[in-house]
Amino acid sequence: MSTKELTEQILKKKSFLSVGLDVDIDRIPTYLLSEDDPIFEFNKAIIDATHKFCVAYKPNIAFYEANGVEGWQALEKTINYLHHEYPEIYTIADAKRGDIGNTSRMYAKTFLKDLGFDSVTVAPYMGKDSVEPFLEFDNRQAILLALTSNEGAFDFQTQQIDGEELYKKVLKTSKTWKNSENLMYVVGATKAEFLKEIREIIPENFLLVPGVGAQGGKLEDVCKYGMTKNVGLLVNSSRKIIYASESSNFAEIAGAKAEVLQQQMADELKQL
Ligand SMILES: O=c1ccn([C@@H]2O[C@H](COP(=O)(O)O)[C@@H](O)[C@H]2O)c(=O)[nH]1
C-alpha cells in the first residue's frame, strides 16, 4: 500500500490505530486451546471485532517464531486472512531485521514479497547496505528503529556522537539512502517529548508509534508534536487491546477498547 492510500484510509476511518497481534499462547482464553490453530482463531476473532476501528495490524514476529512451525503457519494464515477479508488494512511485520545486504535481501523477500506485508521493521545499526534491500519494493515500506519506547533506548540512541544524538544521525543519514521515500520510522510513545526535534529532521515521513497503553505513552502527547498535515502517524497498542478480557467475549471487549482509542484519534484529527 502507498502512504497516500494509507492516509486516505486514516481519514476515511478517522483512525490511525494499529492493533498489535502479539499473541502469547499462555494468555489467550483457554477454550481456544482445543482448536486446531488457537493462535489463528484468536487473531481472526480480534481482527473481526476491531477492524472497523483501526487501519493497521502489527503482528510481532517473535510471538509466532516462539511457536515454531505452527507459529509460522498461524502468521501466514493471519496475513492471508487480512489480505482476503480486509484488503484495505495496512500490515506491519514487526520483525526488527537487518544484516549484511545479501542476507537482508532474504528477510525483505520473506516479509514484503512472499508473505506480502506492506512493511517490516528494520534495525539501522548495520547501516545503509543492511537497510536498502528493504526499500526496493513498490508500495512497501521499511520502518526504521529511530528512538524506541524502552528504557534501554537511552543506552545508545540518545548518546551524543560528535555533538549529535545517535538517533538524529540515524534519521539524517537514512534520508540519503536509495529509495529513502520508502522509509517510515519507529518512535516510542514514551518518548513523545522528542517528537518536535524529530519532526524538524523528518517533517513528512510516517512514524510508527508503539507504547500507548501498557507502556504508559499518551496519545495526546504524541499527536501534539508528531502529527503532520497528512497525519503521518500510526499509533500501536497491543496488550491493552487484545488481552482486555480472558472471557468468552474477549473479542467484543477488545473491539470496545479499540473503539475508545479510535474516538480519541477522531478528536485529534478534527484539529488538522
Ligand atoms: O520501540 C518499540 C518498538 C517496538 N515495540 C513493539 O510494539 C509492541 C508494543 O506492545 P504493547 O503491548 O502495546 O506495549 C510490541 O510488539 C513491542 O515489541 C515497542 O513496544 N517499542
Side-chain angles (χ1 to χ4, degrees), residues 20 22 58-60 63 94 96 121 145 147-150 186-188 208 210-215 236-240:
D22 297 3
K58 181 180 82 62
N60 188 311
F63 290 84
D94 192 356
K96 302 184 182 70
T121 56
L145 301 181
L147 187 57
T148 55
S149 64
N150 58 325
V186 172
V187 177
L208 170 63
V212 165
Q215 298 178 51
N236 182 81
S237 182
S238 306
R239 288 166 290 178
K240 272 276 183 213

Side-chain angles (χ1 to χ4, degrees), residues 219-231:
L219 181 66
E220 52 274 29
D221 296 344
V222 171
C223 293
K224 187 169 176 191
Y225 294 117
M227 195 178 271
T228 68
K229 62 179 188 318
N230 294 318
V231 191

Side-chain angles (χ1 to χ4, degrees), residues 72-253:
W72 274 101
Q73 284 168 345
L75 178 68
E76 190 171 23
K77 278 163 77 176
T78 301
I79 187 76
N80 288 344
Y81 185 71
L82 284 166
H83 287 155
H84 192 257
E85 297 297 320
Y86 306 108
E88 74 285 2
I89 288 281
Y90 186 79
T91 53
I92 304 162
D94 192 356
K96 302 184 182 70
R97 300 301 150 109
D99 204 320
I100 61 166
N102 190 50
T103 308
S104 275
R105 232 179 308 284
M106 293 299 141
Y107 283 138
K109 175 179 174 291
T110 302
F111 291 107
L112 301 178
K113 183 163 178 279
D114 299 348
L115 289 169
F117 278 92
D118 289 302
S119 60
V120 57
T121 56
V122 176
Y125 192 61
M126 288 179 70
K128 173 182 162 128
D129 55 313
S130 74
V131 178
E132 283 187 342
F134 293 94
L135 303 175
E136 288 173 6
F137 298 76
D138 286 342
N139 296 327
R140 298 277 191 268
Q141 294 80 33
I143 313 183
L144 204 63
L145 301 181
L147 187 57
T148 55
S149 64
N150 58 325
E151 192 58 29
F154 298 114
D155 286 346
F156 301 119
Q157 295 164 25
T158 54
Q159 293 301 309
Q160 303 253 336
I161 313 275
D162 301 332
E164 184 170 58
E165 292 95 331
L166 181 58
Y167 78 89
K168 288 187 182 168
K169 280 199 188 298
V170 167
L171 294 173
K172 287 179 186 172
T173 305
S174 65
K175 284 168 67 171
T176 68
W177 296 340
K178 191 169 176 204
N179 299 321
S180 63
E181 67 278 8
N182 292 336
L183 278 170
M184 296 183 177
Y185 297 89
V186 172
V187 177
T190 53
K191 305 287 191 308
E193 70 273 24
F194 292 80
L195 279 167
K196 189 164 180 287
E197 290 189 20
I198 287 172
R199 276 299 183 208
E200 282 164 14
I201 303 169
I202 44 160
E204 304 287 347
N205 298 69
F206 259 89
L207 303 180
L208 170 63
V209 184
V212 165
Q215 298 178 51
K218 298 272 176 297
L219 181 66
E220 52 274 29
D221 296 344
V222 171
C223 293
K224 187 169 176 191
Y225 294 117
M227 195 178 271
T228 68
K229 62 179 188 318
N230 294 318
V231 191
L233 291 175
L234 282 172
V235 171
N236 182 81
S237 182
S238 306
R239 288 166 290 178
K240 272 276 183 213
I241 294 178
I242 68 173
Y243 302 127
S245 165
E246 285 177 11
S247 63
S248 56
N249 65 345
F250 70 94
E252 197 184 318
I253 296 182

